[in-house]
Amino acid sequence: MAVKWTSLQIAVLVISISAFTLAIDLDVDSPDSIRTAAATIAYGLQSMYNGNRTGGEPGKFPDPPYYWWLSGAAWGGMLDYYLYTGDESYYNVTYDALVSQISPTNNYLPAAEALDEGNDDIALWAFAAQNAAEYGFREPPKAYPTWLKICDNIFNDFVSRWIASSNTCGGGLKWQVFPTSPGYDYKNSISNGGFLQLAARLYRSTNNQTYYEWAIHVWDWSVKIGLIDSSYNVFDGSDDTINCTGIDHTLWTYNVAVYLYGTAVLYNYTNGLEIWRNRTTALLDFALEAFVSPFPNATDVIYEHCELTWSCNIDQFSFRAYLARWLAKTTIMMPETAEKVNPVLRASALAAAAACSGGANGTTCGARWYLDAWDETSGLGQALAALEVVQSLLVDEAGPPAEAST
Ligand SMILES: *[C@@H]1O[C@H](CO)[C@@H](O)[C@H](O)[C@H]1NC(C)=O
Ligand SMILES: *[C@@H]1O[C@H](CO)[C@@H](O)[C@H](O)[C@H]1NC(C)=O
Ligand SMILES: *[C@@H]1O[C@H](CO)[C@@H](O)[C@H](O)[C@H]1NC(C)=O
Ligand SMILES: *[C@@H]1O[C@H](CO)[C@@H](O)[C@H](O)[C@H]1NC(C)=O
Ligand SMILES: *[C@@H]1O[C@H](CO)[C@@H](O)[C@H](O)[C@H]1NC(C)=O
Ligand SMILES: *[C@@H]1O[C@H](CO)[C@@H](O)[C@H](O)[C@H]1NC(C)=O
Ligand SMILES: *[C@@H]1O[C@H](CO)[C@@H](O)[C@H](O)[C@H]1NC(C)=O
Ligand SMILES: *[C@@H]1O[C@H](CO)[C@@H](O)[C@H](O)[C@H]1NC(C)=O
């Protein structure tokens, strides 16, 4: 539902933006200003972490409590913070956190999380580990395999879980890992899109065709079931109990985002294959149509639908982090998308900076970027989403991820 603009509305908006004093100062044309804004948000985010202090749990952000996956997502964002800004302040705390959750089977399956561990949760930790592999982050200590090998282990877990449940829905990855978890029957976009993106990135890192074949397989299944429809709308999930004959049509930013970056990587590594260009372009168009410009006074600003009804939970506050993250990375894999993506990231970063104006120091991040003011909410998801959209303006600084020669 993109809002169409008249030039009068744009003129009014330009005047109102320039008259507004930002709480976190941000000049989107100045790399130094972007770095300073990102540093302020990163500092606020890290002050929620106590896992490197007595009484804290390594790797995990504590109260309210946050789910395990959100910590993995946050460390992935912190790794990008280092790559994009060059600020090494959190390199070691990020490294220690990523190592702390690898688990004895070297696949991010810690026993402590067995009650509610989802394939999507693991995927978010895997993306951080894969990022570490792609950019030569320090390898884990000797007792563990490399970041790349850990990601390959997770890929093979996904393959065997897919096969184990292929008596329903013609395949697909379940949401949950363990039969005891609520949602075990659900087969959803974030898990399957996570599988596709991980496969795509492993393919790029190794040139091993097995990963490519699975990426194609996951795409084809997602379309067949209707998680992705013929107009490239990406919906939330379907269910084993109905053999995936019906779809939960709820729209979330991170579902399209996770597929989008996967197809962009495949486009790039296949040297621009038309089928991946078409898919990437269509997913991008859907994302920009569905999750940008909620109101005439917030053109190009990313939003989550639940913000409008004040019904987002603490997980959902973070989802725009991954849309911003993967929109930005898509412009690296498919440079021609920058023209569409950059105005959205710039407007959203400005709006997010304005929303980071709460608390005693006036830099606590709220959720609703379209308000140009703090919405009196705060938390890890809000801080992460703001951090990622602001730092995404520096995505070019990291350069493309390493790739195997073809
Ligand atoms: C702002 O205040 C919050 C809450 O007191 C604190 O956690 C955070 O670290 C502060 N941020 C900065 C940049 O000082
Ligand atoms: C924990 O990490 C933070 C950076 O996020 C650092 O400022 C702090 O000094 C560390 N604390 C300890 C006890 O190492
Ligand atoms: C980070 O850890 C490395 C290896 O242990 C150490 O050499 C380095 O001094 C640490 N850096 C900081 C800023 O603590
Ligand atoms: C379940 O769905 C799959 C995939 O659409 C299909 O191939 C299979 O025939 C269906 N099974 C039943 C029992 O309808
Ligand atoms: C490619 O990756 C798959 C999945 O891990 C593995 O089974 C296979 O041995 C790999 N092939 C080569 C040539 O390394
Ligand atoms: C793949 O990515 C690289 C690095 O950004 C870029 O130079 C190249 O043009 C991309 N390939 C295609 C086919 O767009
Ligand atoms: C890509 O899209 C164009 C334009 O819609 C279409 O003509 C072409 O057949 C598509 N290519 C593939 C491989 O699907
Ligand atoms: C934009 O419009 C929405 C909906 O009317 C409103 O809630 C919001 O406060 C407005 N934002 C600004 C910056 O005025």
Side-chain angles (χ1 to χ4, degrees):
M1 260 180 297
V3 176
K4 299 282 179 263
W5 282 89
T6 67
S7 51
L8 177 65
Q9 284 171 316
I10 291 170
V12 169
L13 184 83
V14 168
I15 293 163
S16 63
I17 281 183
S18 52
F20 204 90
T21 313
L22 298 175
I24 287 185
D25 223 14
L26 177 63
D27 173 355
V28 293
D29 292 312
S30 158
D32 280 343
S33 168
I34 299 164
R35 269 190 286 272
T36 304
T40 304
I41 303 170
Y43 183 92
L45 188 155
Q46 282 301 311
S47 58
M48 298 176 210
Y49 182 60
N50 67 351
N52 63 346
R53 295 198 294 260
T54 309
E57 278 186 84
K60 293 174 66 174
F61 285 78
D63 299 332
Y66 295 112
Y67 282 111
W68 176 75
W69 79 276
L70 189 51
S71 293
W75 296 118
M78 290 306 298
L79 215 165
D80 276 340
Y81 172 77
Y82 160 72
L83 293 170
Y84 297 170
T85 67
D87 179 358
E88 295 179 351
S89 305
Y90 309 106
Y91 189 109
N92 283 352
V93 76
T94 301
Y95 175 82
D96 291 344
L98 288 179
V99 169
S100 74
Q101 300 296 313
I102 291 174
S103 82
T105 41
N106 300 318
N107 56 354
Y108 281 102
L109 201 64
E113 309 303 329
L115 280 181
D116 60 12
E117 195 165 12
N119 288 303
D120 54 345
D121 304 20
I122 297 167
L124 265 295
W125 283 92
F127 295 143
Q130 178 65 24
N131 210 9
E134 289 164 349
Y135 286 95
F137 208 54
R138 190 194 312 144
E139 290 290 356
K142 286 274 177 287
Y144 301 98
T146 60
W147 295 119
L148 194 64
K149 178 61 187 154
I150 290 166
C151 291
D152 173 65
N153 291 344
I154 293 167
F155 166 87
N156 281 307
D157 287 350
F158 287 171
V159 169
S160 37
R161 287 185 205 126
W162 174 297
I163 291 169
S165 80
S166 56
N167 56 329
T168 53
C169 303
L173 195 56
K174 285 170 173 291
W175 180 23
Q176 298 298 323
V177 174
F178 300 105
T180 43
S181 305
Y184 185 67
D185 293 325
Y186 202 49
K187 286 184 171 166
N188 58 356
S189 286
I190 190 63
S191 299
N192 286 283
F195 187 8
L196 182 148
Q197 188 190 117
L198 185 65
R201 291 168 68 178
L202 283 165
Y203 174 47
R204 180 184 171 83
S205 294
T206 63
N207 196 34
N208 176 331
Q209 290 291 321
T210 303
Y211 300 126
Y212 187 45
E213 285 157 17
W214 271 97
I216 294 170
H217 196 41
V218 177
W219 176 270
D220 290 346
W221 178 85
S222 303
V223 169
K224 182 176 176 208
I225 295 306
L227 290 181
I228 303 172
D229 76 4
S230 56
S231 306
Y232 295 85
N233 298 296
V234 182
F235 302 117
D236 194 63
S238 191
D239 208 284
D240 273 341
T241 56
I242 53 168
N243 196 36
C244 292
T245 51
I247 298 286
D248 176 339
H249 289 103
T250 315
L251 300 180
W252 299 106
T253 53
Y254 75 159
N255 286 328
V256 60
V258 74
Y259 281 104
L260 172 69
Y261 186 55
T263 61
V265 169
L266 295 172
Y267 164 79
N268 191 272
Y269 196 61
T270 57
N271 216 1
L273 213 59
E274 188 180 61
I275 194 157
W276 294 117
R277 162 189 265 129
N278 282 6
R279 289 167 178 173
T280 306
T281 307
L283 289 174
L284 175 61
D285 289 346
F286 163 67
L288 300 183
E289 178 77 12
F291 301 113
V292 172
S293 305
F295 298 112
N297 64 9
T299 195
D300 282 343
V301 173
I302 295 170
Y303 72 107
E304 200 70 64
H305 290 197
C306 60
E307 289 168 31
L308 306 184
T309 49
W310 291 76
S311 58
C312 304
N313 67 28
I314 55 173
D315 284 345
Q316 293 155 2
F317 281 132
S318 79
F319 289 176
R320 286 163 302 154
Y322 325 118
L323 179 56
R325 177 194 297 185
W326 289 319
L327 281 173
K329 289 179 184 289
T330 293
T331 68
I332 302 297
M333 290 292 97
M334 192 167 164
E336 70 196 68
T337 59
E339 202 183 331
K340 282 182 190 168
V341 168
N342 288 351
V344 169
L345 293 179
R346 288 160 66 96
S348 298
L350 280 171
C356 290
S357 53
N361 50 26
T363 61
T364 298
C365 294
R368 289 165 188 77
W369 298 343
Y370 62 83
L371 292 179
D372 271 345
W374 188 44
D375 67 359
E376 302 190 15
T377 74
S378 62
L380 182 55
Q382 286 91 328
L384 183 63
L387 176 66
E388 295 223 22
V389 73
V390 169
Q391 71 190 15
S392 74
L393 301 178
L394 298 173
V395 66
D396 287 338
E397 302 284 323
E403 63 178 318
S405 54
T406 39

